[in-house]
Amino acid sequence: MGSFFVICDVGATAEVSVLRRGPAGFEVLATLTDPDAGGSAIDDALTAMLVPAATGTTGEQAERWGLTASVQAGKHALAHHPAVTVPLPGGPAAVLNAALLDQAARPALDRVAELTVEAIAAAEVDRAGVAGIFCAGGVSHMPLLEKTLSEATGITPIVAADPHLAAVRGAADVGAVAVSGDAVAQEPTAVPPLRRAVAIAVPGFASLALVAQFLLTPEWRGGILGVIPATAILNWGELAMAAVFALIACLGAGTVIAAAIAARNPTDHIPPGVQTGTGILAAASMGSAIAGMYAVVGSLYIETAVGPFLRWALLPIAPIIAVASVMALIAARQWRTPRGGWSQLLSFPTSSVLTAAAGMLCIQYSLTADRWPNMILFIDITGRLGGLLLGAGTIMAVVRQPLLRLILGAPMAVITAALVSPRASGILGVIYAIAVAVWWIRQLWTRILRPHPRPIP
């Protein structure tokens, strides 16, 4: 699903098409044809090599037809014999072998290779991202065609079974569907496995844990009883991370639900891509609503102005919502479908969520715990450990390779551990929110807009 491939139909003429497999079937992105790059051109070149005087002028046309038929029969016989004898009108027979056939076919097959490269460029597809080249037509059994295409594209072509019948069988299948009146079957989107539901629940529970600690552990300073109210010192970074985790959980859940509906209702008139795009938008709206609810509830519970709560809950998730909206548009218009489906694409790394959430919980504990003399060292160590965990979780969200995670995670963890303080708690939450936004932007770029090429077998 979502992969690109090329069909080279080289029969009497040559036709090259670039296709993409989408949720509704196969989409033709580009098609180029050349009547002088197929079997007819090879027959003419081979005939001219065997009988240069056979020009096809008036009076020689009947002889030329017979000569062409003999040449065609000899060309086809070379598929099973190293050399064949071709009878020539008005002269001795000629011996036709593979070397002579390759010499005659080289210009036409070079043109087929040029058409293939031009078709891939016309489809605006990276040549390295082509999943395969499939050859059909009577000429596709020639080894020279495989060699020419491999040299021009760097991809080893695959010859269809019974290549001279492939187009006929395809047309028969399409005709059978049209006669029966059945719609073209759409491949249902696979229902995500249960473990993905567990991955969705992790950021959801992490969000609830962070917002609960945020509301239950404010530090009150100043104030005179009955005269001047005390001021609450809050960990705004914890609120920002709670909003980010709530949005991640909603996006994952919305995509899974949309994929499940599309898979279990394949006969609906609504395409699966539209259902997925609608699910992504609905999930983004739900995540924004939950973040706003956190802000309003926090303002009422702490009894202070709602403005700071809204800023710290909504602004960190704004870039993620923007990227999710672009993904929803792409899914609804069916421009691209990532390999593995949308539910797999939007599955945020659970390891990053667990590590970062544990880190922020430890940081908030170290900032608000009662500092008894015998507990000061333990509280300080817990805070630095929380900073280390938050830094490691940030790198896990941005970097995939384990070795690179280790190389970049160590200095990042040291930096975030050093930043642990009441004034820098908001900065730590924003750092992680930026890392999550970078993860989403990378998913959009590498999996949809410019997908990595699939390894060629």
Side-chain angles (χ1 to χ4, degrees):
M1 186 72 69
S3 60
F4 304 92
F5 58 98
V6 180
I7 300 294
C8 290
D9 187 358
V10 189
T13 61
E15 180 178 278
V16 180
S17 298
V18 181
L19 288 83
R20 169 185 170 270
R21 185 180 182 185
F26 297 103
E27 175 187 1
V28 180
L29 303 181
T31 298
L32 296 179
T33 61
D34 191 340
D36 298 327
S40 297
I42 296 175
D43 293 340
D44 293 340
L46 194 57
T47 301
M49 292 178 63
L50 295 177
V51 185
T55 59
T57 58
T58 304
E60 299 178 345
Q61 194 66 40
E63 291 185 359
R64 180 174 177 81
W65 286 345
L67 176 61
T68 301
S70 297
V71 169
Q72 287 179 346
K75 182 184 69 174
H76 295 158
L78 284 178
H80 308 286
H81 304 281
V84 295
T85 300
V86 177
L88 301 178
V95 176
L96 180 61
N97 55 27
L100 193 61
L101 177 59
D102 289 348
Q103 182 181 353
R106 171 65 74 173
L109 299 186
D110 284 342
R111 177 55 185 155
V112 173
E114 293 177 2
L115 281 178
T116 304
V117 174
E118 293 171 1
I120 294 174
E124 297 182 352
V125 176
D126 186 4
R127 192 183 306 178
V130 176
I133 297 177
F134 298 88
C135 297
V139 181
S140 60
H141 69 275
M142 295 184 60
L144 182 60
L145 177 61
E146 178 181 346
K147 179 181 178 182
T148 305
L149 289 175
S150 299
E151 293 175 350
T153 63
I155 303 172
T156 301
I158 301 171
V159 180
D162 295 331
H164 56 291
L165 297 178
V168 176
R169 288 175 173 171
D173 290 341
V174 173
V177 173
V179 171
S180 64
D182 295 334
V184 178
Q186 295 183 359
E187 179 176 337
T189 305
V191 179
L194 181 61
R195 64 178 180 272
R196 200 161 299 152
V198 176
I200 295 169
V202 169
F205 285 115
S207 175
L208 293 176
L210 290 177
V211 75
Q213 188 185 44
F214 170 79
L215 295 176
L216 297 176
T217 59
E219 185 177 356
W220 298 94
R221 293 183 181 178
I224 300 176
L225 185 62
V227 181
I228 301 176
T231 303
I233 307 300
L234 300 170
N235 185 350
W236 297 112
E238 191 169 29
L239 176 61
M241 290 183 61
V244 169
F245 288 150
L247 180 59
I248 291 174
C250 289
L251 285 170
T255 309
V256 167
I257 293 172
I261 293 175
R264 292 171 181 170
N265 298 278
T267 59
D268 288 353
H269 297 292
I270 303 177
V274 176
Q275 294 180 349
T276 302
T278 304
I280 295 175
L281 286 179
S285 301
M286 179 63 70
S288 303
I290 292 176
M293 183 188 68
Y294 285 170
V296 174
V297 171
S299 173
L300 295 176
Y301 185 80
I302 304 298
E303 297 181 354
T304 185
V306 73
F309 291 87
L310 290 174
R311 285 195 299 270
W312 285 97
L314 297 180
L315 289 182
I317 65 175
I320 304 174
I321 294 176
V323 179
S325 301
V326 175
M327 289 184 174
L329 177 62
I330 293 174
R333 300 300 297 271
Q334 302 184 51
W335 291 333
R336 293 285 190 277
T337 300
R339 293 200 305 270
W342 288 97
S343 58
Q344 180 178 346
L345 172 73
L346 303 183
S347 180
F348 190 78
T350 306
S351 59
S352 174
V353 175
L354 289 173
T355 306
M360 182 53 74
L361 290 173
C362 291
I363 291 174
Q364 179 66 357
Y365 167 77
S366 69
L367 296 179
T368 59
D370 293 331
R371 301 180 67 84
W372 298 101
N374 60 334
M375 294 289 293
I376 292 178
L377 180 60
F378 173 77
I379 293 173
D380 290 340
I381 292 177
T382 302
R384 302 305 171 185
L385 177 61
L388 291 173
L389 292 174
L390 183 58
T394 302
I395 293 299
M396 289 179 182
V398 178
V399 181
R400 295 178 180 175
Q401 295 80 2
L403 180 59
L404 195 57
R405 281 182 173 180
L406 182 62
I407 295 174
L408 298 179
M412 185 65 185
V414 172
I415 292 173
T416 52
L419 288 176
V420 173
S421 64
R423 294 184 177 181
S425 59
I427 296 176
L428 295 175
V430 170
I431 289 175
Y432 186 77
I434 293 174
V436 175
V438 170
W439 181 89
W440 281 80
I441 295 173
R442 186 190 63 195
Q443 292 291 94
L444 176 63
W445 181 258
T446 61
R447 298 285 299 277
I448 300 178
L449 299 181
R450 288 292 184 270
H452 293 315
R454 178 178 293 184
I456 304 300

